[in-house]
Amino acid sequence: TMRTMLSSFPLLVMFFIHCNPISAQSPAQAPALPLPQPQAPALPLPQAPAQAPALPQPQVTALAPAPSGTPTNVTAILEKARGYSIFIKLLKSTEVDSHIYSQLNNSNVGLTIFAPADSAFSGLKSGTLNAFSAGQQTQLTQFHIIPSFISFSQFQTVTNPLSTEAGGNKDNEFPINITTSGSQVNITTGIVNATVTGIVYTDNQLAVYQVDKVLLPMHFYVTPAPAPAPAPSKPKKPAPITSSTGSSVASVNTSGAVQQALDAIFFLVAVSSALSLYL
């Protein structure tokens, strides 16, 4: 019996395999990546209208503005910035600094000051400042001050000519003209062409700018044209001599010959009268 079972074992194995086939398993594969989907081209975003580039500010040469409530002192600001000793002397000797201090601390008036550095005064001819009278030195100092606050960006929109503390904006007064070219701010007086080279100090009331030249007013060098003289009056005709009745009496201009004839007649009449007395 045992031998019969062993002999039939291969047949049972083959029958089992035939009834339960072993399916070959394929190796695991990585999941397929999704194919990119075609997309509509993006529409360009509308561009904002071009604007004029803002005027770049020059280098600030001083510290931040003083804390709120501190009185504004221009000479102290310039001393802290350094390099403005000659302009400080002018401000003090002409007492313009006291006027500025009063304006800034006792009113809402704004000011713009163009401060020439010491190197700018070195560019003047020797003896220029000493040749000016005391009154002209005061006007020269005031000529560097505009009686309103002008921020750096506002230089692009100022209306020329501008009045200064020295006087009005007429040709025979103390006007200046300000123009911009790219990032450069130029000041013209008619005698000098200067450039703003830095911001010394600025707040909402006071702006102090460094300039590379001393601003000389044309008023010092050009004599205003004299006012035209009044036209000479026409000579009046002499009034006619009138008689008591109101009628005009013509004046007689007797020549020398007529006068001699009349004298001769008077003489003959007198001689005749005398002879008639003796006859």
Side-chain angles (χ1 to χ4, degrees):
T1 304
M2 189 64 160
R3 186 177 295 178
T4 303
M5 290 178 64
L6 291 174
S7 61
S8 61
F9 180 76
L11 295 175
L12 292 173
V13 172
M14 291 180 65
F15 177 79
F16 179 79
I17 292 174
H18 178 74
C19 293
N20 299 283
I22 299 174
S23 61
Q25 295 182 356
S26 60
Q29 297 182 0
L33 297 176
L35 295 176
Q37 298 296 324
Q39 298 180 356
L43 296 177
L45 296 175
Q47 299 294 325
Q51 297 180 354
L55 192 64
Q57 296 189 5
Q59 182 180 2
V60 178
T61 59
L63 300 178
S68 177
T70 303
T72 305
N73 188 322
V74 173
T75 56
I77 292 171
L78 293 174
E79 287 171 355
K80 193 171 186 178
R82 298 182 181 180
Y84 302 91
S85 59
I86 300 177
F87 189 58
I88 291 172
K89 289 180 181 178
L90 275 176
L91 288 168
K92 292 182 176 180
S93 64
T94 59
E95 298 183 355
V96 173
D97 62 330
S98 299
H99 180 67
I100 294 174
Y101 185 88
S102 177
Q103 283 184 292
L104 293 176
N105 296 286
N106 298 323
S107 68
N108 294 324
V109 175
L111 294 175
T112 301
I113 300 176
F114 298 108
D118 290 341
S119 58
F121 285 95
S122 300
L124 294 176
K125 292 182 179 180
S126 178
T128 298
L129 289 180
N130 293 331
F132 295 147
S133 65
Q136 287 178 319
Q137 290 185 5
T138 300
Q139 291 174 326
L140 176 67
T141 308
Q142 292 173 330
F143 190 58
H144 290 74
I145 305 171
I146 297 177
S148 61
F149 172 79
I150 303 177
S151 67
F152 192 81
S153 61
Q154 289 175 329
F155 283 134
Q156 292 179 309
T157 57
V158 295
T159 302
N160 291 311
L162 286 87
S163 300
T164 63
E165 286 281 308
N169 59 1
K170 303 298 182 183
D171 291 339
N172 60 345
E173 296 177 324
F174 293 87
I176 63 172
N177 290 280
I178 296 178
T179 57
T180 59
S181 176
S183 61
Q184 185 169 298
V185 176
N186 302 313
I187 305 171
T188 303
T189 70
I191 299 295
V192 173
N193 295 323
T195 301
V196 174
T197 54
I199 302 174
V200 181
Y201 177 92
T202 184
D203 56 22
N204 294 326
Q205 187 183 17
L206 172 66
V208 182
Y209 300 101
Q210 183 188 71
V211 289
D212 62 347
K213 292 181 181 178
V214 179
L215 305 181
L216 299 175
M218 182 181 289
H219 188 78
F220 286 3
Y221 301 92
V222 178
T223 304
S233 59
K234 295 181 179 180
K236 296 182 179 180
K237 294 181 179 180
I241 302 174
T242 58
S243 64
S244 59
T245 59
S247 60
S248 298
V249 178
S251 60
V252 178
N253 185 10
T254 306
S255 65
V258 174
Q259 185 65 40
Q260 290 177 357
L262 291 175
D263 292 342
I265 294 172
F266 292 147
F267 177 75
L268 291 175
V269 171
V271 171
S272 310
S273 300
L275 289 176
S276 64
L277 295 175
Y278 293 100
L279 294 177

